[in-house]
Amino acid sequence: MWCPLGMDKINLVQNYFQPSGIKVDSLYTDMFDRMLYERVASVFDIEYNASFDIDYFKYVLLGAGYICITTTAKYGLVAQYATIYGYNIYMKPTMASILTCATNDTLEKTDMMIGKDCALLYLRPTRCGIFDIIGYYSYKLALVASAFDMNVFNSKLAFMTAAKNKAAAQTIKKIYDEVQSGNPAVTFDESIKTDSLKNDNRGLWETFNKDLKQNFIAPELIGVFEKLLDEFDTEVGIPSVGSDKKERLTVNETEKNDVESVTRLTTWLESLQQGINEANRLYPNLNLSISIREYQTTKVVSNNVNV
């Protein structure tokens, strides 16, 4: 079992790296990073009596793994990313410092004692964010998405043809364009055929690979994609019955999925509750609470639209 003896180990865990053997388009990984972050951010229902920016609050808490709440003379109560250091007999940080640079101001408050001058909310016992989980799944989703694009592209019907000169080759290309554009009848001068084509009465071109269905695995790749999303949802506590369970789902299987989806969330909530209690003790008017959002999967109703 790993013991968090210092921040060096925490930095090593948080700043994970991937093997360089396989590269994935960064546009794919960036998109899936954002998509998965938004999915996990929707799990938490955070309420407080303060002017915290909710987007910043969630991003720092989920990304860095912790957020510091303190009071300042100029801004009142603030929730900010902090540098944490020092440790007590339980190997937990004891001090925090804030240095935030904005366009027209700088917020600085240093050497705060956690539990006295500020409250520290941390998501995981290791005080690491969840981008290691997001990065793991976004990388795999990017691999599947790129494989899907390649398979669909390679499933196009390809042709090859022989031409006796450059002029004949251009003519054949023109004929193919006419056919592909939907023209039902295209005429051409038979002189463009090579002697071998004239002798055996073959057409102008032949298909490169006629058995496209054998190589078309896009439906299977979609299944893998959905399975990875289900696994991610289970990791972060989003209800999921499994994409591979289309029907005949037993009660035991449903209960198993429910248990799996809350195991990690239970640890996160227990870790968060310590910081929540600390923040409400230091700042009674804050009324901070963090709970798990209950999903209504039947339909989403807008207040401005009659459904």
Side-chain angles (χ1 to χ4, degrees):
M1 180 178 178
W2 171 71
C3 182
L5 296 178
M7 298 306 160
D8 292 339
K9 181 64 177 179
I10 293 176
N11 289 336
L12 178 62
V13 173
Q14 185 160 347
N15 296 294
Y16 68 96
F17 62 92
Q18 297 170 344
S20 59
I22 301 176
K23 297 294 183 182
V24 180
D25 187 355
S26 62
L27 293 178
Y28 275 131
T29 53
D30 288 348
M31 180 188 71
F32 289 128
D33 282 342
R34 290 189 293 270
M35 182 189 77
L36 296 180
Y37 169 77
E38 290 169 1
R39 289 173 79 95
V40 68
S42 70
V43 174
F44 296 97
D45 187 10
I46 303 176
E47 297 182 354
Y48 44 75
N49 183 27
S51 59
F52 304 155
D53 183 271
I54 186 62
D55 296 328
Y56 177 86
F57 192 100
K58 284 188 175 182
Y59 191 81
V60 173
L61 180 61
L62 299 178
Y66 58 87
I67 192 167
C68 179
I69 298 178
T70 187
T71 183
T72 62
K74 184 174 182 179
Y75 295 100
L77 271 177
V78 294
Q80 292 286 303
Y81 174 75
T83 300
I84 54 178
Y85 51 96
Y87 54 90
N88 57 18
I89 61 173
Y90 301 108
M91 302 303 172
K92 290 186 177 181
T94 58
M95 305 294 290
S97 293
I98 293 174
L99 178 58
T100 302
C101 298
T103 303
N104 56 356
D105 197 6
T106 299
L107 176 60
E108 182 176 3
K109 192 172 182 180
T110 60
D111 297 332
M112 296 180 292
M113 183 176 292
I114 298 174
K116 180 180 179 182
D117 304 315
C118 66
L120 186 71
L121 275 71
Y122 57 91
L123 181 67
R124 304 166 73 176
T126 54
R127 286 165 293 283
C128 297
I130 50 91
F131 279 112
D132 55 343
I133 304 173
I134 290 177
Y136 176 81
Y137 283 98
S138 67
Y139 184 72
K140 293 183 180 298
L141 290 172
L143 283 175
V144 175
S146 60
F148 178 88
D149 289 349
M150 182 181 296
N151 185 251
V152 172
F153 183 82
N154 290 336
S155 296
K156 295 180 179 179
L157 189 62
F159 298 93
M160 59 182 180
T161 182
K164 61 183 180 180
N165 53 48
K166 186 175 182 180
Q170 294 298 325
T171 302
I172 293 174
K173 290 180 182 179
K174 180 64 175 176
I175 294 172
Y176 180 78
D177 290 339
E178 290 286 337
V179 172
Q180 291 295 94
S181 65
N183 195 335
V186 180
T187 59
F188 62 91
D189 188 347
E190 195 176 16
S191 63
I192 66 173
K193 282 188 174 183
T194 61
D195 294 336
S196 60
L197 288 177
K198 291 180 181 179
N199 294 334
D200 57 14
N201 295 322
R202 286 186 294 162
L204 282 177
W205 48 67
E206 296 180 0
T207 56
F208 179 72
N209 184 5
K210 295 180 181 180
D211 193 4
L212 299 178
K213 187 175 181 179
Q214 180 180 359
N215 299 321
F216 187 70
I217 60 171
E220 287 80 1
L221 291 173
I222 293 175
V224 173
F225 187 92
E226 293 178 344
K227 180 64 176 176
L228 286 172
L229 279 182
D230 286 338
E231 291 179 0
F232 175 80
D233 289 345
T234 301
E235 285 280 353
V236 300
I238 299 176
S240 173
V241 297
S243 60
D244 55 340
K245 296 292 185 180
K246 303 300 181 182
E247 57 184 8
R248 297 185 299 276
L249 187 66
T250 65
V251 174
N252 289 336
E253 288 174 325
T254 303
E255 292 178 350
K256 178 177 180 293
N257 290 332
D258 291 341
V259 171
E260 289 179 346
S261 65
V262 298
T263 51
R264 175 163 268 168
L265 269 183
T266 301
T267 302
W268 291 356
L269 287 177
E270 288 178 350
S271 299
L272 285 170
Q273 193 59 48
Q274 300 178 49
I276 293 171
N277 294 339
E278 190 174 77
N280 287 330
R281 176 180 61 82
L282 292 175
Y283 315 108
N285 294 328
L286 178 60
N287 294 325
L288 176 64
S289 66
I290 300 178
S291 58
I292 302 304
R293 195 183 308 275
E294 293 187 7
Y295 289 88
Q296 300 294 331
T297 57
T298 54
K299 63 179 180 177
V300 178
V301 180
S302 172
N303 293 330
N304 299 322
V305 179
N306 293 325
V307 178

